[in-house]
């Protein structure tokens, strides 16, 4: 008992350590980027078509300590981050932290619904077609390939053209109600579905070759039941890993989807920040993405032994 | 998937035929507008409008953005109002006196004006707002410039206020008519710049609408102020606005904006892309308004301070060696008129005599370059002098270059100038390098547009006091005594005769010295439903919702 508790504590400590390392890396990279952008850093922070009065410029230089040695600036910057101070957006004149928290919920809503939709569609598609007639399989994998490789920007516009502009089923944009979430979630989910279903089918087919399938079938278990109860469990670990990994990419996808559909969220915030060269906000979102990535990969790792008992002893 | 694809096929087919239709009739300068209301206005209803950009900051005293000023116009009132001839009319000020030396302005204020939070509008509010604009904490990036050499405001009595400047400052009335110098309620000012910039109910003004809700990335909602009774004389009615509500949605994707309009989900859509104009016009129940923007056109500015453009003959060769007419027509689908002056025809004191005065003339360009000694030719066909190629650089900033097809237009210019033997290099720079190069006077050509309903923009472009080193926009990088004299004179007076004399001279000299190559006038292309009546534009070409109403049916 104590031994396994030590192992567990060690595992947690290791994970925490790597989480801190990833976050530190992201923060350092963001800092270096700001240093490496050529030109006067105050101009970079202010963005284009903004000369800024001498007073405003002096205030920014003081806040960021541009007059001090780089090592000094770096420590100062890390110190501010430790206190949860992500700085102030010069375009929006508001703290970066509150900007992000304001925009977080619509994006989480979008990302979660897209994720659930993608997993459900992928499982249905893979279970229905794995190891069945080749024609079935071919149709499914062509469709998955298309959905994985079509730009979501384009998919979004096509969906809008059909379901909103032509048939008026869903509203063009916004985030007021459930109806306005459907098209954006589908748009964001499609490429994920494609990738997940392909990987899942491969896994299922490999599992169906295993001897235990024959055993189960000989006990009178139906074809679909075997897939759902036994084979699926075998490919759950790679599926989970991939899902976790793809979740990290959802913020990137959200940028396009939120723009096309005129939805609020982190994506539209970062797009606005990038086009206005609002560096404090860009850095804030980079750190947030790194944090989300760390959390998801930790959760995924913790779930492995739950799914696959063989991993528990390790 | 199949219905989707066939639907897309149809969309493409419609798009292509729309393009054909457009190219067939693109020569018509179609700027007719059914802006005036027909029939008797009715109250009620919600107008939903789609715009392409979302305000970064909602603080009218800090923001530089047109879209902030346009949407906020419904919420904030100004001291005076300007009509499309450039004349000023009473608004919150019933009358005003300007001192001989243009250093002080005395305004007599209405006494029946209240903010939507119940506070009264009076002289102390004017002072508090102007002082807020110039305060360091406001970090004003535009309004503080509009206040020019502001030194302070004297409250003479509750209904009289005197605004003072250290130097003669004639453009002040125009500045005072813009949203940027509009008035917040005293309580709103106390909330601080961060709150004001965030938008929504914290932004309290005295206008016909209340800024009732804002969702970042989605929409802003304005609700009627039922007590409004102090409309400017330039409006077509008095009293409360007709519309119950105005919802402004932010739809940056052009095809989505156009689709929302044609499917009736919005009644007004701004920034219709030129290639979609024909389909909007052809759609039943929709019409299109096209209006030339006032202020600085989209111009190329030639840096006359460094070689090879320190030679007027070379600059002239560039000016006459670009087929502006053809290039602009092709790139903007015939929707934007080519420009002849650095300022647009809708700007006061525009010099119409410049039109047609410097047509495309590659022969003349060749002759001028010969005279300037660029007589050699290298293997690629570019001209040389003493073994050196005739090269100019025109840096671009990737995010700005693609706007309005400016990158494509740039390629056309490159191709034209190659024909006369000039090499144009277009390095793609990051913001930091761009600012250093361009505003440091190291680039040969800079492109920019600067809308404003006031010929004083010519001061910004040509006066030596407006050098980029001092935060100005004089991208000619030359100090010319005539430019200085005329733009200073124009800025120091409101006398129409003087202004009508000096401003055309500035435009003329800009073309003569070939420090500027005007390319096109930006045009607002607004699509609207036939049900929308009385939607008007102010002189800056911003939509104003106060007089608008929705026809029943």
């Amino acid at each position: 008992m104590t031994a396994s508790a030590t192992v567990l504590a060690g595992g947690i400590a290791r994970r925490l350590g790597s989480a801190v390392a990833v976050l530190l890396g992201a923060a350092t990279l963001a800092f270096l980027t700001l240093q490496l952008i050529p030109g006067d850093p105050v101009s970079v922070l202010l963005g284009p078509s903004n000369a800024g009065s001498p007073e405003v410029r002096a205030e920014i230089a003081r806040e960021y300590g541009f007059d001090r040695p780089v090592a000094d600036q770096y420590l100062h910057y890390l110190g501010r981050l430790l206190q949860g101070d992500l700085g102030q957006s010069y375009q929006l004149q508001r703290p970066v932290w509150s900007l992000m928290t304001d925009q977080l919920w619509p994006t989480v809503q979008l990302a979660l619904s897209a994720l659930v939709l993608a997993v459900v569609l992928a499982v249905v598609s893979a279970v229905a077609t794995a190891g069945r007639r080749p024609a079935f399989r071919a149709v499914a994998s062509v469709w998955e390939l298309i959905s994985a490789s079509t730009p979501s920007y384009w998919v979004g516009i096509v969906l809008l053209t059909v379901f909103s502009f032509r048939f008026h089923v869903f509203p063009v944009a916004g985030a007021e109600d459930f109806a306005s979430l459907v098209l954006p979630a589908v748009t964001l989910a499609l490429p994920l579905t494609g990738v997940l279903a392909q990987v899942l089918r491969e896994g299922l087919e490999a599992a169906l070759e295993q001897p235990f399938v024959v055993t189960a079938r000989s006990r009178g278990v139906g074809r679909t039941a075997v897939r759902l109860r036994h084979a699926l469990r075998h490919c759950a670990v790679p599926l989970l890993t991939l899902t976790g990994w793809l979740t990290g990419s959802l913020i990137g996808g959200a940028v396009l989807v939120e723009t096309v559909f005129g939805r609020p969220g982190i994506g539209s915030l970062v797009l606005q920040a990038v086009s206005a060269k609002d560096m404090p906000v860009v850095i804030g979102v980079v750190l947030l993405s790194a944090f989300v990535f760390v959390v998801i990969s930790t959760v995924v790792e913790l779930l492995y032994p739950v799914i696959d008992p063989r991993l528990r002893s390790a | 998937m199949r219905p989707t694809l066939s639907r897309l096929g149809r969309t493409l087919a419609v798009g292509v035929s729309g393009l054909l239709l457009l190219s067939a009739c693109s020569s018509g300068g179609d700027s007719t507008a059914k802006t005036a209301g027909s029939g008797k206005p009715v109250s009620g209803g919600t107008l939903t409008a789609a715009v392409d950009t979302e305000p970064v900051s909602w603080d009218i005293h800090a923001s530089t953005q047109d879209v902030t000023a346009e949407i906020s116009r419904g919420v904030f009132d100004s001291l005076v109002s300007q009509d499309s001839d450039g004349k000023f009319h009473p608004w919150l000020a019933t009358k005003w006196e300007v001192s001989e030396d243009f250093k002080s302005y005395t305004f007599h204020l209405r006494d029946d004006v209240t903010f939507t939070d119940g506070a009264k509008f009076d002289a102390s509010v004017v002072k508090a707002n102007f002082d807020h604009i110039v305060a360091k904490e406001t970090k004003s990036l535009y309004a503080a410039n509009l206040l020019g050499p502001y030194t302070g405001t004297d409250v003479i009595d509750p209904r009289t206020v005197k605004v003072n400047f250290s130097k003669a400052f004639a453009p002040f009335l125009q500045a005072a008519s813009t949203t940027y110098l509009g008035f917040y309620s005293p309580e709103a000012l106390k909330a601080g710049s961060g709150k004001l910039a965030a938008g929504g109910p914290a932004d309290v003004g005295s206008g016909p609408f209340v800024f009732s809700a804002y969702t970042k990335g989605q929409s802003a909602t304005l609700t009627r102020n039922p007590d409004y009774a102090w409309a400017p004389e330039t409006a077509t009615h008095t009293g409360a606005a007709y519309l119950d509500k105005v919802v402004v949605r932010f739809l940056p994707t052009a095809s989505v904006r156009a689709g929302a309009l044609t499917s009736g989900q919005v009644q007004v859509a701004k920034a219709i892309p030129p290639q979609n104009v024909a389909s909007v016009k052809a759609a039943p129940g929709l019409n299109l308004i096209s209006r030339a923007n006032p202020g600085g056109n989209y111009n190329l500015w030639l840096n006359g301070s460094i070689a090879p453009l320190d030679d007027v003959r070379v600059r002239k060769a560039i000016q006459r060696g670009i087929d502006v007419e053809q290039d602009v027509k092709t790139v903007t689908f015939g929707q934007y008129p080519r420009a002849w002056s650095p300022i647009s025809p809708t700007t006061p004191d525009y010099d119409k005599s410049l039109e047609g005065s410097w047509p495309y003339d590659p022969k003349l360009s060749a002759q001028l370059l010969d005279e300037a000694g660029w007589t050699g030719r290298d293997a690629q066909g570019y001209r040389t002098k003493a073994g050196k190629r005739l090269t100019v650089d025109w840096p671009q900033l990737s995010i700005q270059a693609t706007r309005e097809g400016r990158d494509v237009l740039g390629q056309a210019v490159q191709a034209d100038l190659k024909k006369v033997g000039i090499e144009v290099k277009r390095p793609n720079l990051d913001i930091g390098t761009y600012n250093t190069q361009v505003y440091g006077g190291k680039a040969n050509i800079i492109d920019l547009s600067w809308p404003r309903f006031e010929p004083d923009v010519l001061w910004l472009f040509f006066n030596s006091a407006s050098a980029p080193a001092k935060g100005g926009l004089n991208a000619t990088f030359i100090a010319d005594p005539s430019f200085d004299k005329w733009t200073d004179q124009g800025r120091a007076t409101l006398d129409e005769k003087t202004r009508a004399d000096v401003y055309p001279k500035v435009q003329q000299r800009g073309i003569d010295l070939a420090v500027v190559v005007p390319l096109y006038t930006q045009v607002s292309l607004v699509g609207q439903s036939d049900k929308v009546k009385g939607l008007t534009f102010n002189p800056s070409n911003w939509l104003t919702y106060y007089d608008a109403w929705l026809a029943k049916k």
Side-chain angles (χ1 to χ4, degrees):
Chain A
M1 208 41 200
T2 42
S4 70
T6 320
V7 170
L8 191 66
I12 289 174
R14 190 170 45 77
R15 280 193 198 103
L16 271 180
S18 63
V20 169
V22 169
L23 286 177
L24 191 67
T28 308
L29 207 62
F31 177 81
L32 283 179
T33 311
L34 200 55
Q35 294 293 321
L36 291 176
I37 295 174
D40 166 33
V42 176
S43 296
V44 172
L45 283 171
L46 270 170
S49 65
N50 272 323
S53 66
E55 293 82 25
V56 173
R57 301 180 70 93
E59 178 67 20
I60 295 171
R62 192 196 57 74
E63 192 177 321
Y64 275 75
F66 288 133
D67 45 346
R68 286 182 289 176
V70 178
D72 221 33
Q73 290 181 39
Y74 178 63
L75 290 178
H76 178 69
Y77 163 80
L78 286 186
R80 282 198 306 128
L81 284 186
L82 271 183
Q83 293 160 32
D85 179 6
L86 289 172
Q88 177 107 2
S89 154
Y90 295 104
Q91 303 286 327
L92 298 137
Q93 304 213 348
R94 288 185 61 200
V96 172
W97 178 249
S98 80
L99 278 169
M100 292 201 310
T101 46
D102 282 359
Q103 297 297 301
L104 203 52
W105 178 234
T107 302
V108 168
Q109 251 181 334
L110 175 67
L112 277 183
S113 28
L115 199 62
V116 170
L117 196 63
V119 170
V120 168
L121 286 178
V123 167
V124 168
S125 166
V127 167
T129 57
R132 311 243 180 184
R133 260 181 286 159
F136 256 25
R137 205 180 170 280
V139 169
S141 58
V142 165
W143 137 255
E144 283 153 15
L145 203 66
I146 291 175
S147 64
S149 53
T150 313
S152 53
Y153 187 78
W154 189 80
V155 172
I157 289 176
V158 170
L159 288 176
L160 271 177
T161 308
V162 177
F163 294 103
S164 180
F165 303 157
R166 181 80 180 80
F167 295 115
H168 305 264
V169 185
F170 296 108
V172 59
E176 289 101 5
D177 49 15
F178 182 71
S180 59
L181 185 63
V182 175
L183 292 183
V186 170
T187 306
L188 193 55
L190 279 181
L192 295 188
T193 311
V195 176
L196 289 177
Q198 296 241 315
V199 171
L200 190 56
R201 184 178 311 97
E202 297 273 320
L204 274 178
E205 282 173 354
L208 289 175
E209 307 271 302
Q210 305 272 327
F212 73 84
V213 174
V214 183
T215 322
R217 291 280 284 149
S218 68
R219 278 190 277 119
V221 181
R223 288 176 66 148
T224 307
V226 165
R227 283 151 208 266
L228 287 176
R229 269 189 243 143
H230 301 279
L232 198 56
R233 190 151 184 165
H234 271 259
C235 17
V237 167
L239 180 72
L240 182 72
T241 312
L242 193 63
T243 309
W245 196 68
L246 289 174
T247 310
S249 74
L250 282 177
I251 290 190
V255 174
L256 292 174
V257 173
E258 286 173 1
T259 308
V260 171
F261 290 93
R263 276 180 66 86
I266 295 287
S268 51
L269 176 73
V270 80
L271 185 77
Q272 203 184 35
V274 168
S275 44
K277 297 268 174 185
D278 196 346
M279 284 312 284
V281 177
V282 175
I283 291 173
V285 175
V286 166
L287 292 179
L288 176 75
S289 315
F291 180 74
V292 170
F293 183 78
V294 164
V295 170
I296 290 172
S297 44
T298 310
V299 169
V300 166
E301 264 187 65
L302 290 174
L303 280 178
Y304 285 158
V306 177
I307 295 171
D308 192 340
R310 288 173 297 181
L311 293 171
R312 276 175 220 165
S313 51
Chain B
M1 263 324 252
R2 201 179 301 134
T4 307
L5 285 172
S6 76
R7 168 67 197 161
L8 180 83
R10 263 183 288 154
T11 312
L12 282 177
V14 170
V16 170
S17 57
L19 288 188
L20 293 175
L21 196 72
L22 185 68
S23 56
C25 60
S26 59
S27 52
D30 215 328
S31 57
T32 45
K34 283 178 260 170
T35 44
S38 52
K40 200 178 174 319
V42 289
S43 278
T46 298
L47 176 75
T48 308
V51 299
D52 60 332
T53 34
E54 177 172 1
V56 172
S57 162
W58 285 97
D59 185 347
I60 52 170
H61 290 172
S63 175
T64 57
Q65 286 181 293
D66 289 359
V67 64
T68 304
E70 176 177 48
I71 300 171
S72 302
R73 181 77 287 181
V75 181
F76 302 101
D77 294 331
S78 292
L79 285 173
V80 295
S81 165
Q82 192 179 22
D83 66 23
S84 53
D85 295 326
K87 290 203 172 56
F88 298 101
H89 299 268
W91 194 347
L92 294 186
T94 51
K95 57 186 170 101
W96 53 89
E97 293 101 40
V98 183
S99 71
E100 287 277 314
D101 59 1
F102 287 97
K103 281 180 169 178
S104 69
Y105 293 71
T106 306
F107 294 93
H108 302 275
L109 311 174
R110 292 182 73 118
D111 66 350
D112 57 346
V113 177
T114 49
F115 288 97
T116 51
D117 62 4
K120 202 164 159 43
F121 171 79
D122 62 16
S124 69
V125 173
V126 175
K127 179 176 168 56
N129 273 270
F130 287 172
D131 288 349
H132 173 249
I133 289 171
V134 297
K136 185 179 120 188
E137 303 74 47
T138 309
K139 292 184 186 161
S140 174
L141 296 170
Y142 189 54
N145 293 352
L146 286 178
L147 271 183
Y150 175 77
T151 51
T153 302
D154 302 328
V155 174
I156 291 169
D157 64 54
R159 288 188 53 201
T160 318
V161 72
K162 191 170 151 211
V163 184
N164 303 304
F165 300 95
S166 61
K167 283 192 285 201
F169 190 53
F172 176 58
L173 280 181
Q174 197 277 333
S177 75
T178 65
T179 319
Y180 303 107
L181 300 194
F183 298 102
Y184 284 108
S185 86
E187 279 302 312
L189 282 183
K190 272 184 216 152
S193 293
K195 276 263 171 59
L196 300 180
D203 283 86
V204 180
S206 62
F209 294 97
V210 179
F211 193 171
S212 50
Y214 170 53
T215 311
K216 193 169 164 48
Q218 182 176 316
S219 61
T221 304
L222 310 182
T223 314
R224 170 167 48 195
N225 168 12
D227 303 324
Y228 193 69
W230 40 89
E233 271 187 9
T234 47
T236 58
H237 82 291
T238 54
Y242 298 123
L243 296 166
D244 289 339
K245 238 195 229 183
V246 177
V247 177
V248 181
R249 315 195 75 162
F250 310 112
L251 299 176
T253 311
S255 52
V256 173
R257 219 162 43 245
L261 178 71
T262 48
S263 63
Q265 299 183 56
V266 303
Q267 288 87 48
V268 173
K270 283 198 74 180
I272 297 290
Q275 61 269 28
N276 288 24
V277 163
S279 62
V280 169
K281 277 186 183 167
L286 295 181
N287 61 60
L288 188 106
I289 310 166
S290 118
R291 287 173 49 107
N293 284 347
N297 285 317
Y298 178 60
N299 301 322
L300 298 185
W301 294 94
L302 308 189
N303 180 349
S305 72
I306 52 167
L309 299 188
D310 51 353
D311 185 335
V312 65
R313 289 169 298 193
V314 181
R315 297 200 300 265
K316 203 103 200 165
I318 290 182
Q319 195 181 53
R320 305 300 287 270
I322 302 173
D323 192 352
V324 178
E325 188 95 38
Q326 188 57 48
D327 297 348
V328 168
K329 195 165 151 184
T330 311
V331 172
T332 70
F333 293 80
Q335 292 302 321
Y336 290 4
R338 68 138 317 156
W340 292 102
S341 156
I343 57 174
S344 81
T346 47
T347 319
D349 300 316
Y350 166 72
D351 184 10
K352 202 172 164 50
S353 73
L354 281 172
E355 289 176 12
S357 70
W358 49 280
Y360 177 48
D361 193 346
K363 278 204 193 107
L364 177 65
S365 291
Q367 190 191 323
L368 287 164
L369 292 173
D370 284 340
E371 280 171 28
W374 294 93
T375 46
R377 293 276 179 167
D378 64 13
Q380 273 94 51
Y382 292 113
R383 285 175 179 265
T384 56
K385 179 156 88 177
K388 236 186 122 225
R389 181 186 280 187
L390 179 50
T391 300
V392 292
D393 72 317
W394 171 14
Q396 54 183 334
L397 201 57
S398 48
I399 30 169
Q400 283 170 8
T402 51
R403 181 175 161 208
E404 295 166 353
R406 288 176 179 185
D407 49 346
V408 183
L409 188 57
Q411 286 163 16
V413 168
Q414 253 173 329
D416 289 344
L417 292 179
K418 187 177 180 182
K419 283 187 205 144
V420 295
I422 303 172
E423 184 189 31
V424 181
K425 284 191 174 160
R426 301 219 62 196
N428 213 326
L429 303 182
D430 59 87
I431 176 91
T433 318
Y434 184 88
N435 281 348
T436 317
Q437 287 272 338
V438 165
Y439 296 112
K442 295 188 194 93
N444 296 120
I445 302 179
I446 304 172
D447 57 316
L448 58 91
S449 55
W450 195 269
R452 189 181 171 195
F453 185 67
E454 165 61 63
D456 188 49
V457 287
L458 291 166
W459 184 93
L460 204 63
F461 294 145
F462 291 108
N463 198 290
S464 62
S466 175
K470 297 170 200 160
L473 270 185
N474 184 345
T476 71
F477 291 94
I478 60 167
D480 179 80
S482 305
F483 280 148
D484 287 357
K485 189 178 120 202
W486 294 327
T487 51
D488 281 337
Q489 274 178 352
R491 154 168 283 219
T493 182
L494 282 179
D495 177 48
E496 283 169 29
K497 265 204 211 122
T498 312
R499 292 187 136 214
D501 174 45
V502 294
Y503 284 130
K505 280 188 192 156
V506 175
Q507 296 162 61
Q508 186 75 52
R509 188 166 174 79
I511 297 298
D512 287 347
L513 288 181
V515 284
V516 60
V517 186
L519 292 183
Y520 62 75
T521 298
Q522 290 173 295
V523 170
S524 291
L525 295 167
V526 179
Q528 66 167 351
S529 151
D530 286 345
K531 285 187 199 160
V532 179
K533 310 284 183 189
L535 188 66
T536 53
F537 291 83
N538 79 354
S540 300
N541 249 5
W542 298 334
L543 288 179
T544 34
Y545 298 107
Y546 171 63
D547 286 325
W549 52 281
L550 287 169
K552 294 275 174 344
K553 181 198 85 78

